[in-house]
Amino acid sequence: MDQTLGQDSAPASGSVDKTRVWDVTPLRRLVPVFPSQTDMSSFPTPPAGAPFICVPPTGPFPSEVAPFYPFFGSLESQRHHGQNPQTPFGFPNQNMSFGSNNPISDAVPLNSFRSPPPSTAGVTPIRRNRDTDPQYLSGFSIHISDVEGSQGTSKSGGSKNKSQKRRKGSRGTNFTSPEVDMDAILNNILSPFNVMEFDESRKADGDKESVGYILLIFDLFRRKISQLEDSREATITLTRRPDLKAGAILMNKGIRTNSRKRIGFVPGVEVGDIFFFRMEMCLVGLHSQSMAGIDYMGLKSSQEEEPLAVSIVSSGGYEDNVEDADVLIYSGQGGNIYRKDKDVMDQKLERGNLALDKSFHKGNEIRVIRGVKDVATPSGKIYVYDGLYKIQESWLEKGKSGVNVYKYKLVRLPGQREVFMTWRLIQQWKDGITSRSEVILPDLTSGAENIPVSLVNEVDDEKGPEHFTYFPSLKYSKTENSAEPSVGCTCRSGCLPNNSNCSCLKKNAGYLPYAIYGILVNQNSLTHECGFSCLCPSNCRNRLSQGGLRVRLEVFKTKDKGWALRSWDPIRAGAFICEYAGEVIDMSEIEKLGGEIEDDYVFDATRTRQLAEPLPDDSHEPPKIPFPLIINAKAVGNVARFMNHSCSPNVFWQPILRESNKDYDLHIAFHAIKHIPPMTELTYDYGIPDKAERKKNCLCGSSKCRGYFY
């Protein structure tokens, strides 16, 4: 339309009956639109007692409003104009004098400040955060569509039309719908955990154990939601955001830790920890904003309250840190700097920008989380906790867009573990820019794997482990016979999660056991993969363990535990790592030897796991295997033979059955229990045998170490 009817419109005389025209207000305002009270006679009267219903708005949102709760900020934040997620940027012009030629202007008053009730810790939040406050999350149906791997980063961009196109025709999952009993699903996941131990004190101030439990619960719940949504979709062209849904429900139920905001280190979160979803950082108290790049709190000083920044997320790839990993040049928020559909404007010294400015003058520590590209997902990020920084300088400069942008120079505090430098060094190894030091063999597998495995010794002069033949899978002397003939699937294009006719899905209780990106949904007693008689291709989603290595591994020498295994790549919770390869030992041969075999490189699937921590187990029972499986990797094996024991492991094993007509092969696949940062040793629990065997001293170093293993 060329004209809009309203108070300021001027139609031709007599063309419009003004007594029947409402005040036209933009439809995307976050306030109800009511007719004028002067004349209601011409409008229908609602039924007596009919309730007024206000439907929560959905995005995309215009520049004058911010995304609504429960996920994306507080009600006060919706009143500010030009708010954008945080955008880290490049180094300043070297010809510019920091903070001298362009002094920071006077601050814009913060209208969102209120005087909340006093806190026992002497610190009170500036405003209630609808990202993390459970009472704001109850009663909402969640309708969020996006790519699972693409986390909401600290920058927003892209056109509004694109966003609307993605949403068109999509079906959000309503968790209040009776068809999905989310409470039952969550309770089943929580059953091995003593959640009652998470009292109010542990919710406010956590520890390493509570942080680990919360992250494990979140990821299991997220994977299950992803599996349910995946199986209900008619196509696989659109993936939901189960991370936000799982996080919202856990927040609503108070299943979280470190809810009290704080300056400095967060109990139970260590420098170098990685997160694949921003909701994970919210649940453990590292960064409570699920979208914004700056998290801050209010600190009372005399009779006033001023904001102080507690953490920032640097999304990476925007010239944040070109040369020095201990220095970060961080750009302020606001101004529509990276919005193509909005007019850019000067940033204002308000909200997060003001909090960073106050932190510069106060000199308080700020947690820095760096975002790096996740090569395993199309547009995902991995968030790396890089430790504590302090703002050394701040200034205002003209950005590339031609408007004023606030800049903050943060310097890493000394004495912390090197994190970002390690990530950069690994990338240089991969790119061939820098060679890996102390390499004995660049590829231990001699080409048997599709990804090379380095052999490294930085401890002593030993030139490698004793000789063995590298073989990537199992060697059966004879196949086992199935009691009943097995019918392979006919999914020529690959098994799809919503194909009710797939025989392989039926063997897995009607679901694909693997979510997208090769993540095991949960640990079952037995997982059925497609076998030789199946018609699906080699890249079928239900052949995950048959595709070889997916991460870059290295075998390295330890100081006191012999040879071990670790990864150059970050490994996501539930991700496949490798299988245990070797020669399958016939039980009759063991009996001839009196039941004794050399067990330094033997995997026994009949052993009972007695873990100090719960595993991601859906059945909460030991794995049920169809026949005893013992694998000897002493003479023939793969990288799995180098994995050491730990009483608090980061890897678990899963039995995999591949059937073919009347025969079937049993395999052992290793998956990550939790997110594993690069260069972290990979370990699993060796378990306890049925018969008493010689105990060995355990050197795992875990706080829950039993002192021995078998």
Side-chain angles (χ1 to χ4, degrees):
M1 292 181 64
D2 295 330
Q3 293 179 336
T4 302
L5 297 179
Q7 289 179 336
D8 299 327
S9 62
S13 177
S15 62
V16 176
D17 182 0
K18 294 185 178 181
T19 64
R20 301 178 63 87
V21 177
W22 294 359
D23 179 21
V24 176
T25 310
L27 292 179
R28 291 191 179 273
R29 278 183 53 183
L30 297 184
V31 292
V33 179
F34 296 99
S36 171
Q37 298 295 323
T38 56
D39 185 7
M40 296 292 293
S41 59
S42 58
F43 295 97
T45 303
F52 172 73
I53 300 175
C54 182
V55 179
T58 57
F61 298 89
S63 60
E64 61 265 21
V65 296
F68 73 100
Y69 57 86
F71 300 114
F72 310 125
S74 66
L75 188 59
E76 287 80 8
S77 66
Q78 298 174 7
R79 299 173 183 158
H80 298 290
H81 293 263
Q83 180 177 0
N84 247 8
Q86 170 60 29
T87 305
F89 204 62
F91 281 95
N93 190 325
Q94 299 300 320
N95 298 324
M96 177 181 292
S97 175
F98 289 162
S100 57
N101 296 338
N102 294 276
I104 292 180
S105 61
D106 294 336
V108 177
L110 283 180
N111 297 328
S112 61
F113 281 6
R114 295 181 181 176
S115 297
S119 168
T120 56
V123 177
T124 53
I126 294 175
R127 63 192 185 200
R128 303 193 75 163
N129 190 315
R130 287 173 167 84
D131 260 351
T132 56
D133 195 332
Q135 73 167 309
Y136 285 104
L137 300 175
S138 59
F140 286 95
S141 298
I142 305 170
H143 300 270
I144 298 178
S145 299
D146 209 336
V147 177
E148 179 186 1
S150 177
Q151 270 293 289
T153 63
S154 57
K155 300 173 181 65
S156 62
S159 67
K160 183 171 71 173
N161 292 336
K162 250 184 197 178
S163 176
Q164 289 175 337
K165 186 175 181 179
R166 280 198 308 265
R167 289 175 178 273
K168 186 176 180 181
S170 65
R171 294 182 291 110
T173 299
N174 186 342
F175 283 176
T176 61
S177 171
E179 65 179 278
V180 179
D181 189 350
M182 301 309 299
D183 284 340
I185 293 173
L186 181 57
N187 289 337
N188 187 55
I189 292 173
L190 293 175
S191 57
F193 301 90
N194 190 358
V195 183
M196 297 303 295
E197 293 181 358
F198 289 88
D199 54 15
E200 292 305 317
S201 62
R202 294 191 78 184
K203 289 179 183 178
D205 301 287
D207 52 28
K208 187 173 182 179
E209 183 180 38
S210 60
V211 167
Y213 276 21
I214 292 297
L215 292 176
L216 182 55
I217 291 169
F218 164 80
D219 206 64
L220 291 173
F221 194 28
R222 180 199 62 80
R223 287 185 243 165
K224 195 64 180 178
I225 294 173
S226 177
Q227 183 187 55
L228 291 172
E229 293 184 341
D230 205 10
S231 64
R232 289 206 306 242
E233 285 296 324
T235 65
I236 58 173
T237 58
L238 183 65
T239 305
R240 308 299 179 205
R241 289 295 300 272
D243 55 311
L244 294 181
K245 298 175 183 179
I249 293 175
L250 293 179
M251 287 283 191
N252 190 27
K253 293 181 177 295
I255 303 175
R256 57 180 304 193
T257 188
N258 292 320
S259 61
R260 181 176 65 85
K261 280 195 176 183
R262 71 199 72 226
I263 292 173
F265 284 115
V266 175
V269 181
E270 298 180 354
V271 176
D273 284 351
I274 60 175
F275 306 87
F276 283 78
F277 302 95
R278 291 185 64 150
M279 259 299 183
E280 293 175 309
M281 297 188 287
C282 296
L283 288 167
V284 301
L286 181 64
H287 186 83
S288 67
Q289 300 294 323
S290 65
M291 292 293 286
I294 307 172
D295 190 12
Y296 54 98
M297 60 186 290
L299 185 65
K300 287 186 177 179
S301 177
S302 300
Q303 299 298 322
E304 297 182 355
E305 185 181 81
E306 60 181 6
L308 291 179
V310 296
S311 62
I312 60 173
V313 175
S314 173
S315 63
Y318 290 84
E319 303 176 6
D320 298 321
N321 187 9
V322 178
E323 300 295 339
D324 190 351
D326 291 329
V327 176
L328 175 66
I329 305 299
Y330 195 70
S331 297
Q333 65 182 135
N336 298 324
I337 304 300
Y338 291 92
R339 289 290 299 273
K340 297 180 180 179
D341 57 335
K342 299 293 179 183
D343 294 332
V344 296
M345 61 186 71
D346 291 340
Q347 290 184 350
K348 298 179 181 180
L349 195 60
E350 59 184 5
R351 301 186 302 280
N353 297 341
L354 179 59
L356 288 173
D357 181 65
K358 294 293 184 181
S359 293
F360 166 54
H361 294 291
K362 287 283 187 181
N364 67 281
E365 300 168 336
I366 299 174
R367 299 185 295 272
V368 169
I369 301 102
R370 293 182 184 260
V372 297
K373 181 176 176 56
D374 181 9
V375 296
T377 58
S379 55
K381 286 191 177 296
I382 303 171
Y383 300 95
V384 186
Y385 176 39
D386 199 32
L388 298 180
Y389 284 65
K390 281 189 177 181
I391 301 178
Q392 191 178 84
E393 296 178 87
S394 66
W395 67 96
L396 187 67
E397 70 175 36
K398 288 286 185 183
K400 293 182 179 179
S401 56
V403 298
N404 288 328
V405 177
Y406 286 101
K407 297 280 185 169
Y408 306 90
K409 180 182 179 182
L410 294 97
V411 179
R412 196 169 191 259
L413 299 183
Q416 303 180 86
R417 173 189 169 192
E418 291 292 342
V419 176
F420 196 67
M421 279 294 293
T422 301
W423 283 70
R424 291 184 59 189
L425 184 60
I426 292 173
Q427 190 58 51
Q428 291 173 359
W429 295 344
K430 292 181 178 180
D431 296 339
I433 299 174
T434 303
S435 60
R436 176 75 169 99
S437 61
E438 309 301 333
V439 174
I440 300 173
L441 285 174
D443 185 12
L444 176 68
T445 76
S446 300
E449 299 280 7
N450 54 358
I451 301 176
V453 177
S454 303
L455 180 65
V456 178
N457 186 352
E458 300 172 308
V459 176
D460 52 34
D461 296 329
E462 187 176 354
K463 297 303 181 182
E466 60 181 297
H467 177 75
F468 75 101
T469 301
Y470 195 96
F471 192 73
S473 190
L474 286 184
K475 281 190 172 183
Y476 273 91
S477 58
K478 65 177 183 178
T479 58
E480 297 289 337
N481 292 326
S482 174
E484 297 179 359
S486 176
V487 178
C489 71
T490 58
C491 308
R492 295 184 178 275
S493 299
C495 298
L496 297 178
N498 60 334
N499 184 4
S500 59
N501 296 321
C502 176
S503 59
C504 294
L505 261 66
K506 293 177 181 178
K507 298 171 187 175
N508 290 294
Y511 293 101
L512 268 181
Y514 306 112
I516 57 174
Y517 311 128
I519 304 298
L520 183 69
V521 175
N522 44 251
Q523 181 193 14
N524 296 312
S525 296
L526 188 65
T527 294
H528 294 261
E529 282 193 351
C530 295
F532 180 78
S533 60
C534 295
L535 300 182
C536 57
S538 59
N539 62 350
C540 174
R541 202 156 119 189
N542 198 37
R543 294 182 183 268
L544 177 69
S545 68
Q546 305 170 38
L549 301 182
R550 292 171 175 251
V551 292
R552 179 69 186 267
L553 300 171
E554 83 169 19
V555 175
F556 70 103
K557 183 68 180 297
T558 66
K559 292 181 180 180
D560 52 6
K561 295 184 296 182
W563 297 92
L565 187 67
R566 61 189 175 194
S567 171
W568 290 10
D569 298 319
I571 304 177
R572 187 161 153 179
F576 170 74
I577 299 173
C578 63
E579 73 166 292
Y580 200 102
E583 297 176 301
V584 177
I585 301 176
D586 194 313
M587 294 299 294
S588 62
E589 295 296 326
I590 298 177
E591 292 172 357
K592 290 179 182 179
L593 296 174
E596 296 199 6
I597 56 174
E598 187 178 352
D599 61 353
D600 285 345
Y601 294 101
V602 169
F603 181 91
D604 187 352
T606 64
R607 290 189 173 193
T608 303
R609 286 181 285 204
Q610 187 177 348
L611 299 179
E613 300 173 354
L615 273 179
D617 192 344
D618 188 43
S619 63
H620 317 313
E621 297 178 0
K624 296 178 181 178
I625 57 177
F627 60 89
L629 178 65
I630 299 178
I631 306 170
N632 186 359
K634 181 176 177 60
V636 175
N638 68 344
V639 292
R641 72 196 296 272
F642 297 106
M643 259 196 285
N644 286 320
H645 163 85
S646 176
C647 300
S648 296
N650 52 20
V651 173
F652 71 95
W653 60 271
Q654 170 72 31
I656 305 291
L657 195 65
R658 304 172 191 166
E659 300 177 55
S660 175
N661 296 326
K662 290 187 177 182
D663 301 330
Y664 55 74
D665 294 339
L666 186 64
H667 294 254
I668 301 299
F670 289 96
H671 295 261
I673 294 176
K674 54 188 176 182
H675 302 327
I676 305 175
M679 306 305 285
T680 302
E681 183 181 354
L682 305 177
T683 58
Y684 72 100
D685 192 304
Y686 285 2
I688 299 176
D690 293 335
K691 298 179 181 180
E693 295 183 11
R694 178 173 56 90
K695 293 182 179 180
K696 302 176 183 179
N697 292 330
C698 182
L699 301 174
C700 71
S702 166
S703 60
K704 297 183 178 180
C705 180
R706 297 190 293 264
Y708 62 89
F709 70 98
Y710 294 92

